Amino acid sequence: MPNPRRDALIARLPKAELHLHIEGSLEPEMLFALAARNGVAIPFGSAEEVRAAYDFSNLQDFLDIYYQGMGVLLHEQDFFDLTWAYLRRAAADNVRHVEIFFDPQGHTERGIAFETVLDGIERALKQGEVELGISYRLIMCFLRHLSEEDAGMTLDQAVPHLGRIHGVGLDSSEVGHPPARFERVFARARSLGLHVTAHAGEEGPPAYVREALDLLKVERIDHGNRALEDPALVERLVSEGMTLTVCPLSNLRLCVIGDMADSPVRRMLDLGLKATVNSDDPAYFGGYIGDNFRAVAEALDLTAAEIVTLAENSFTGSFMPMADQIAYLAEIAEVARD
Ligand code: HPA
Ligand code: ZN
């Protein structure tokens, strides 16, 4: 049942978002506006028609539309507008820190310069820091359906901008594209001082989560749902204090779960796993971080203490300095006390 007290707590808690693909925040209205501004043809007559097409049976169904949607992003201003719109939504949900993914290969393969993408996203993030008080980290993802060599060329493009990019991730079609294929490029990213994370266990088996840990040496697991099938892996993730960036509405819309009541968030917390709640691709999956918190809290009837833990985990699982994490924990404790 909806619970206004619980929703008020969710709204008042400071939060960090650790799993957000900026291209997945492209709302149908902006898709239309940018298609018109840039003279890009799209096979839809209205924003409503676009929304109706967002009916996915699995990850690949979604990715096909997601890559198509990116086609309207051409200029630095487009990437700025996209990112700025996301940050305003995040601010409205009391998000104070974001660690956002972008998919450079989704743009460079269309002939857009790496710098055009980076400049636009970063300009919005910097403005968000000043005007909205949202700090950030920027994580560049490799598309795992492409080769490790292609990922390596993307890392080469990032090297002149190392101070501006804070980490690398691994996304796109999971099954059939195991983390092991990216061991060398991740080793190079780590040697360059970049943080490392990877999508694993969204559709792929627990073995992919193990590979992400053992071979890519990730600091976080994005999704991680299927880790729950392997008790020894769960034990390891608990003992290592590994953060899992769970995305409840994404799981539902991509049929990773059949019902929100099947969300792994409660089980993860019960097992001592460090779960967080995130929106993944909010424009495609029906909601931003506040929507994700409310949906999962209602379906699982999460307690105030569990919701507080999720907010704490979002900061302690982030790449922000420890002193800043501690300050947010103090603020969360204050909100929780009221
Ligand atoms: N999984 C894998 N790749 C992605 C996703 C996701 O949820 N969103 C955008 N790219
Ligand atoms: Zn994702």
Side-chain angles (χ1 to χ4, degrees):
M1 273 203 310
N3 179 332
R5 248 182 87 81
R6 188 171 55 204
D7 290 352
L9 173 65
I10 290 168
R12 289 176 54 234
L13 283 167
K15 292 172 282 296
E17 175 139 68
L18 306 181
H19 186 153
L20 179 282
H21 303 264
I22 197 62
E23 297 90 344
S25 72
L26 178 61
E27 291 286 343
E29 288 74 17
M30 186 177 285
L31 178 82
F32 258 83
L34 292 179
R37 185 160 100 188
N38 292 334
V40 176
I42 51 169
F44 301 106
S46 67
E48 288 66 40
E49 258 183 50
V50 177
R51 282 212 167 79
Y54 292 175
D55 181 21
F56 315 115
S57 315
N58 53 43
L59 174 59
Q60 193 60 50
D61 265 6
F62 154 70
L63 289 169
D64 293 343
I65 290 211
Y66 167 81
Y67 294 123
Q68 193 183 339
M70 291 183 196
V72 301
L73 300 164
L74 302 185
H75 307 295
E76 191 260 9
Q77 187 65 39
D78 304 338
F79 291 94
F80 172 88
D81 290 345
L82 174 73
T83 309
W84 185 244
Y86 162 69
L87 288 168
R88 290 180 50 128
R89 298 290 293 256
D93 278 339
N94 205 7
V95 170
R96 307 290 184 80
H97 178 76
V98 297
E99 302 198 345
I100 70 174
F101 298 130
F102 73 116
D103 283 333
Q105 290 155 295
H107 311 297
T108 53
E109 71 181 4
R110 300 184 288 114
I112 313 295
F114 185 92
E115 286 73 18
T116 300
V117 181
L118 177 60
D119 289 352
I121 294 172
E122 187 194 51
R123 183 159 64 88
L125 288 168
K126 283 191 177 301
Q127 185 170 318
E129 212 164 29
V130 174
E131 294 185 14
L132 304 171
I134 298 177
S135 55
Y136 72 90
R137 295 288 183 273
L138 185 55
I139 302 172
M140 162 180 116
C141 282
F142 301 124
L143 299 183
R144 68 202 303 162
H145 68 273
L146 301 177
S147 68
E148 185 178 43
E149 188 188 0
D150 209 310
M153 292 191 297
T154 304
L155 185 56
D156 291 339
Q157 288 177 299
V159 166
H161 310 290
L162 276 184
R164 307 166 67 191
I165 294 168
H166 309 97
V168 299
L170 186 66
D171 67 359
S172 193
S173 321
E174 185 180 7
V175 175
H177 304 287
R181 279 189 35 217
F182 297 89
E183 186 175 355
R184 286 163 302 173
V185 74
F186 267 68
R188 188 151 73 88
R190 290 197 316 275
S191 76
L192 291 167
L194 290 163
H195 286 291
V196 288
T197 183
H199 284 55
E202 180 183 20
E203 288 186 342
Y208 284 20
V209 177
R210 288 181 180 279
E211 285 183 15
L213 297 170
D214 292 331
L215 305 179
L216 307 188
K217 306 194 192 305
V218 293
E219 297 162 81
R220 287 202 291 255
I221 294 287
D222 296 312
H223 294 295
N225 299 51
R226 291 195 58 193
L228 293 178
E229 297 169 20
D230 181 338
L233 176 58
V234 167
E235 205 172 299
R236 175 175 176 190
L237 292 166
V238 171
S239 73
E240 292 180 7
M242 184 62 55
T243 299
L244 307 177
T245 63
V246 181
C247 304
L249 286 169
S250 166
N251 286 169
L252 186 65
R253 297 293 287 270
L254 297 184
C255 306
V256 168
I257 55 175
D259 190 282
M260 191 53 88
D262 299 327
S263 169
V265 167
R266 154 67 61 51
R267 260 173 302 148
M268 287 175 174
L269 293 177
D270 285 350
L271 288 162
L273 287 163
K274 195 162 154 183
T276 62
V277 167
N278 307 272
S279 67
D280 207 5
D281 301 281
Y284 292 89
F285 300 148
Y288 288 77
I289 193 167
D291 301 301
N292 274 273
F293 263 92
R294 287 187 293 274
V296 78
E298 181 178 340
L300 301 180
D301 199 21
L302 294 182
T303 64
E306 287 168 328
I307 292 164
V308 166
T309 297
L310 290 167
E312 289 171 343
N313 290 350
S314 74
F315 290 103
T316 58
S318 77
F319 299 141
M320 64 165 54
M322 189 68 77
D324 295 351
Q325 294 181 22
I326 290 167
Y328 279 114
L329 293 182
E331 186 176 341
I332 289 170
E334 214 164 282
V335 170
R337 236 191 333 266
D338 293 343

